[in-house]
Amino acid sequence: MQLQDLETPALILDRSRMLRNINALRLRMAASGVQLRPHLKTAKSVEVARLMMDSAAGPATVSTLKEADEFAAAGVTDLLYAVGIVPNKFAHLARLVRAGVRLTVVLDNVAAATALREFAEREQIKLYVLAEIDSDGHRSGLRCDDAELLKVARAVQPEPSKPGHCELAGVMTHAGASYGAYSTEAKVAMAEQERLAAVAAVHRLRAAGYAAPVVSVGSTPTAHFAQSLQGVTEVRAGVYVFFDLVMAGLNVCAVEDIAMSVAATVIGHQREKGWIIVDAGWMAMSRDRGTAKQPVDQGYGLVCDALGKPFADLIMTEANQEHGILALRQGSIRPLPDLPVGTLVRILPNHACATGAQHDRYEVVDSDTEIAAQWPRFRGW
Amino acid sequence: MQLQDLETPALILDRSRMLRNINALRLRMAASGVQLRPHLKTAKSVEVARLMMDSAAGPATVSTLKEADEFAAAGVTDLLYAVGIVPNKFAHLARLVRAGVRLTVVLDNVAAATALREFAEREQIKLYVLAEIDSDGHRSGLRCDDAELLKVARAVQPEPSKPGHCELAGVMTHAGASYGAYSTEAKVAMAEQERLAAVAAVHRLRAAGYAAPVVSVGSTPTAHFAQSLQGVTEVRAGVYVFFDLVMAGLNVCAVEDIAMSVAATVIGHQREKGWIIVDAGWMAMSRDRGTAKQPVDQGYGLVCDALGKPFADLIMTEANQEHGILALRQGSIRPLPDLPVGTLVRILPNHACATGAQHDRYEVVDSDTEIAAQWPRFRGW
């Protein structure tokens, strides 16, 4: 089957590009001697996860307990759930642990820590906890010098030398602000800031008597640009597997590295306006406009031919639910390509996590137009 | 089961509000004597569709052939697929017709019309076609006075008085620009503009000898504000079933009419910043920022208590994949509500179609906190 035989819209995965992306970060991590704990939230696919992980059992990171369920069912036994835990998810944690998962969770407050420890003791299940550290002010977590850190540690594990059912395993941080770092210097600096915050926090825990063996950091930009990982024990990254226009705009990858695209078909034109209309709108692309605040705004995506080669300056400028409007980027002096009704195009996404989430499977190609496999995706919570 | 027992995030449907919304448009349409052909793309739910449609067999409108499949399997036999048809979907059309669906499609160009007619003749299936008319310059369609209109008509059905397998059934238009109409006068004017374009186009077809019995118009704002439907035979609308913050911002509904919300749980705070962090981010809310260009920007959604009552000025100001940041609207002088870790909140969406699409089921309540039913949603193409 060929791409041209697809009913559009459809999600395309260029396996050759993906394997190159996976290999690049794997080599970098191997050289550093630090464990990679890939984040599986971008792909939400067992087939892709197996290519990202060091072994079929993990380790890996997830953003939902649904991901944990799916990957556990596929044999992954070492999982970090990287969103602050709250009581309505405790019963779900217990099911995962009883199914054989070594589960690590994160939290940043005494209330959650106390409730979790009481639950683990009552249910007699083992849970590993990382204190979430805020290294850049962008989201959750405690500052590395916050007095609450030791209170949270004690709420998780009252006796530093005696891990109970709830064990304080260390610290985690995520430098989400790295998504604003355009230069190499800025990304290197952000990685160092992320590392220093995590290391400073874990030193406080160790000084208080906790073993706290885990120092978990990461984002795709910092994973690719960190110059030192001293004191770090694991790195998390997710979107590196496919990359996207936001990452290309941040100079973390080239446009030619982007392994995900949406196949769409030309359904009409408004010629006097310079519009080409396609059958992929925000339902297929997502509403993500992550490049809107970057130097080059890619609209809802950059348009390529069936082989994945970009048409110069042609982007999706507007999106309705199932309609996309393709037009030349503002200020472009290029001619509008001649794309008759029925032409297949491929549109590179702003944000692979968001675009992937709109689809239930990947049509897998190897940098050509033949569909080599279909891989399912899952979603939900 | 109560809302407080849910694992969050989760999609909540307030059935009482929805029934009120359905009834309001039904009464309006009944008074006008014009057929309502509800658009099922917002709900993507058989249970909701049955409440919206005049009969279990329809009529109804869909935005994907997957919706057509699902509703056909549930007994709906009169469907309009309202996105310009292209050849990669022809085989799918044939399956639907052979499954007993009276299927109407839309198109605006000779290439698609010719290919469709040839396909219908070759496959010996009956297809109804509406010429898509552009009434406001926002998307697809031919202007009502475009010379192409009669060429398209002839490509669909060469002999005006002899419908073949492919029958020119009339015209359709969608005044998407009504989403920029804030005043009553502007919405009334947009509805009249939509009506006049469709009626003018169909008159040209009828003057050329076509029966063209169908004049299909609609959007939620114009359906609710049209003062005349003279010459119109059916009205399409979708988001009226749930409404959302974009519709409230357009003064089409009140915030208290919004029947969809996302349940989320407080997972932490950044107190010095005035941030409350919840476990619902853009994956649960969608990336839709439809109120960003309205007079009142609601961020990623307006925050309510467990009963659905808004906290004054509290919105989701930022969203990561599974994290949302709640904060007071810029310029607000209200105090930040005290919402401890573990508190359940409900967040009203900017755009019900986009937020609904992120979820696989509705937790149904009747303006209280008891979950009365779970209704599945579907998606994809």
Side-chain angles (χ1 to χ4, degrees):
Chain A
M1 190 170 163
Q2 298 288 315
L3 285 185
Q4 277 77 2
D5 302 323
L6 284 174
E7 212 176 308
T8 49
L11 185 67
I12 311 301
L13 170 51
D14 185 325
R15 179 163 50 183
S16 311
R17 291 183 180 189
M18 175 187 70
L19 291 172
R20 210 165 63 206
N21 296 340
I22 290 172
N23 200 43
L25 191 58
R26 175 168 288 150
L27 287 176
R28 215 180 128 70
M29 287 297 108
S32 75
V34 171
Q35 175 71 54
L36 179 65
R37 183 185 280 278
H39 206 315
L40 306 182
K41 76 185 175 98
T42 305
K44 300 208 184 204
S45 150
V46 169
E47 287 78 3
V48 175
R50 287 187 175 140
L51 297 167
M52 295 173 78
M53 295 185 299
D54 279 357
S55 86
T61 311
V62 294
S63 73
T64 66
L65 295 181
K66 173 66 176 288
E67 292 165 46
D69 288 342
E70 295 278 346
F71 294 120
V76 184
T77 55
D78 181 356
L79 288 170
L80 167 63
Y81 169 55
V83 179
I85 193 69
V86 280
N88 71 46
K89 299 185 178 78
F90 287 176
H92 200 153
L93 299 182
R95 290 200 299 277
L96 285 159
V97 171
R98 293 196 173 111
V101 177
R102 185 191 196 282
L103 192 57
T104 304
V105 298
V106 305
L107 50 78
D108 69 358
N109 61 85
V110 169
T114 305
L116 186 71
R117 176 173 49 77
E118 289 171 359
F119 178 80
E121 287 171 359
R122 193 165 63 245
E123 296 286 323
Q124 301 276 302
I125 55 166
K126 180 81 183 191
L127 287 167
Y128 299 86
V129 179
L130 301 181
E132 185 170 3
I133 305 301
D134 174 13
S135 52
D136 60 3
H138 90 287
R139 192 164 82 188
S140 306
L142 295 165
R143 301 295 170 86
C144 59
D145 59 356
D146 194 314
E148 283 293 298
L149 178 61
L150 290 169
K151 293 183 194 164
V152 169
R154 280 192 289 273
V156 170
Q157 180 184 327
E159 294 187 58
S161 61
K162 286 195 194 162
H165 287 97
C166 219
E167 177 170 342
L168 187 75
V171 299
M172 74 82 78
T173 192
H174 165 61
S178 64
Y179 280 52
Y182 291 90
S183 68
T184 296
E185 294 69 30
K187 286 185 280 277
V188 168
M190 189 58 67
E192 184 63 2
Q193 179 178 327
E194 186 180 50
R195 179 184 79 83
L196 287 175
V199 168
V202 85
H203 280 172
R204 289 181 62 213
L205 296 175
R206 289 175 187 164
Y210 290 97
V214 179
V215 180
S216 179
V217 305
S219 73
T220 286
T222 56
H224 262 293
F225 284 82
Q227 291 195 332
S228 164
L229 288 172
Q230 200 176 351
V232 168
T233 65
E234 65 178 35
V235 167
R236 307 180 320 281
V239 79
Y240 77 96
V241 65
F242 300 144
F243 284 130
D244 53 28
L245 292 169
V246 165
M247 287 294 129
L250 288 172
N251 307 303
V252 176
C253 68
V255 166
E256 293 67 32
D257 296 324
I258 301 173
M260 175 188 281
S261 60
V262 172
T265 303
V266 175
I267 63 171
H269 300 83
Q270 296 287 12
R271 294 188 193 279
E272 76 287 4
K273 291 178 178 157
W275 289 359
I276 299 166
I277 320 264
V278 295
D279 63 354
W282 59 253
M283 188 64 81
M285 297 306 302
S286 90
R287 269 288 192 201
D288 197 287
R289 288 281 290 105
T291 56
K293 55 182 180 296
Q294 292 193 333
V296 178
D297 183 346
Q298 305 281 16
Y300 286 92
L302 181 62
V303 185
C304 303
D305 66 16
L307 277 165
K309 182 167 178 288
F311 293 107
D313 287 346
L314 189 66
I315 62 174
M316 185 182 287
T317 55
E318 288 290 338
N320 292 168
Q321 186 157 341
E322 298 291 348
H323 295 78
I325 296 177
L326 312 185
L328 293 171
R329 189 191 301 289
Q330 211 163 19
S332 172
I333 54 163
R334 308 244 179 193
L336 189 71
D338 178 31
L339 303 177
V341 167
T343 303
L344 182 101
V345 294
R346 287 166 62 181
I347 304 166
L348 301 177
N350 281 320
H351 187 174
C353 305
T355 300
Q358 303 301 104
H359 298 263
D360 288 325
R361 68 171 181 276
Y362 300 96
E363 313 289 340
V364 181
V365 298
D366 287 309
S367 296
D368 57 15
T369 64
E370 185 175 348
I371 297 169
Q374 288 188 327
W375 289 347
R377 278 184 59 99
F378 55 83
R379 68 167 192 159
W381 291 272
Chain B
M1 189 170 162
Q2 298 289 315
L3 285 185
Q4 277 77 3
D5 303 322
L6 284 175
E7 210 176 309
T8 49
L11 186 66
I12 312 300
L13 170 52
D14 185 325
R15 177 163 52 184
S16 309
R17 290 183 181 188
M18 175 188 69
L19 291 172
R20 209 165 66 206
N21 295 341
I22 290 172
N23 200 42
L25 191 58
R26 177 167 287 147
L27 287 175
R28 215 180 127 71
M29 287 297 108
S32 74
V34 171
Q35 176 70 54
L36 178 65
R37 182 183 282 277
H39 207 315
L40 306 182
K41 78 186 173 98
T42 305
K44 300 209 184 203
S45 151
V46 169
E47 286 78 4
V48 175
R50 286 187 175 139
L51 296 167
M52 293 173 79
M53 296 185 297
D54 279 359
S55 85
T61 310
V62 294
S63 72
T64 66
L65 295 181
K66 174 67 176 286
E67 291 166 45
D69 288 340
E70 295 278 345
F71 294 119
V76 184
T77 55
D78 181 356
L79 287 170
L80 167 63
Y81 169 56
V83 179
I85 193 71
V86 279
N88 71 45
K89 299 186 178 76
F90 287 177
H92 200 153
L93 299 182
R95 290 200 298 277
L96 284 160
V97 171
R98 292 195 174 113
V101 177
R102 184 191 196 283
L103 192 59
T104 304
V105 298
V106 306
L107 51 78
D108 68 359
N109 62 85
V110 169
T114 304
L116 185 72
R117 177 175 47 78
E118 289 171 0
F119 177 81
E121 287 170 359
R122 192 163 64 244
E123 296 288 322
Q124 301 276 301
I125 56 167
K126 180 80 183 189
L127 288 166
Y128 298 87
V129 179
L130 302 181
E132 185 169 3
I133 304 301
D134 174 14
S135 51
D136 59 3
H138 90 288
R139 192 165 79 189
S140 306
L142 295 165
R143 300 295 170 86
C144 60
D145 58 357
D146 194 314
E148 284 292 297
L149 178 61
L150 289 170
K151 294 183 194 164
V152 169
R154 280 193 290 271
V156 170
Q157 180 184 327
E159 294 187 58
S161 61
K162 286 193 192 161
H165 288 97
C166 218
E167 177 170 341
L168 187 75
V171 299
M172 74 83 77
T173 193
H174 165 61
S178 65
Y179 280 52
Y182 291 91
S183 68
T184 296
E185 295 68 30
K187 287 186 279 278
V188 168
M190 188 58 67
E192 184 63 2
Q193 180 177 327
E194 185 181 52
R195 180 185 80 83
L196 287 174
V199 169
V202 85
H203 281 173
R204 290 181 61 214
L205 295 176
R206 289 173 187 164
Y210 291 97
V214 178
V215 180
S216 180
V217 305
S219 73
T220 286
T222 57
H224 262 294
F225 284 83
Q227 290 195 333
S228 165
L229 289 171
Q230 200 175 353
V232 168
T233 66
E234 65 179 34
V235 168
R236 306 179 322 279
V239 79
Y240 77 96
V241 63
F242 300 145
F243 285 131
D244 52 29
L245 292 169
V246 164
M247 286 294 130
L250 288 171
N251 307 304
V252 176
C253 69
V255 166
E256 293 68 32
D257 295 325
I258 300 173
M260 174 187 282
S261 61
V262 172
T265 303
V266 175
I267 64 170
H269 301 82
Q270 296 287 12
R271 293 189 195 278
E272 75 286 6
K273 292 178 178 156
W275 289 0
I276 299 166
I277 320 265
V278 295
D279 64 354
W282 58 254
M283 187 65 82
M285 297 306 302
S286 90
R287 268 289 190 201
D288 197 287
R289 289 281 289 105
T291 56
K293 55 183 181 293
Q294 292 193 332
V296 178
D297 183 346
Q298 305 281 15
Y300 286 92
L302 182 61
V303 186
C304 303
D305 65 16
L307 278 164
K309 183 168 177 289
F311 293 107
D313 287 346
L314 189 66
I315 63 174
M316 184 182 286
T317 55
E318 288 291 340
N320 292 167
Q321 187 157 340
E322 298 290 348
H323 294 78
I325 295 177
L326 313 185
L328 293 172
R329 190 191 301 290
Q330 211 164 19
S332 173
I333 53 163
R334 308 247 180 190
L336 189 71
D338 178 30
L339 303 177
V341 168
T343 304
L344 182 102
V345 295
R346 286 167 63 182
I347 304 166
L348 301 176
N350 281 321
H351 187 176
C353 305
T355 300
Q358 304 301 103
H359 297 264
D360 289 324
R361 67 170 182 277
Y362 300 97
E363 313 288 340
V364 181
V365 298
D366 286 309
S367 296
D368 56 15
T369 62
E370 186 176 347
I371 297 169
Q374 288 189 326
W375 289 347
R377 279 182 60 97
F378 55 84
R379 67 166 192 160
W381 289 273

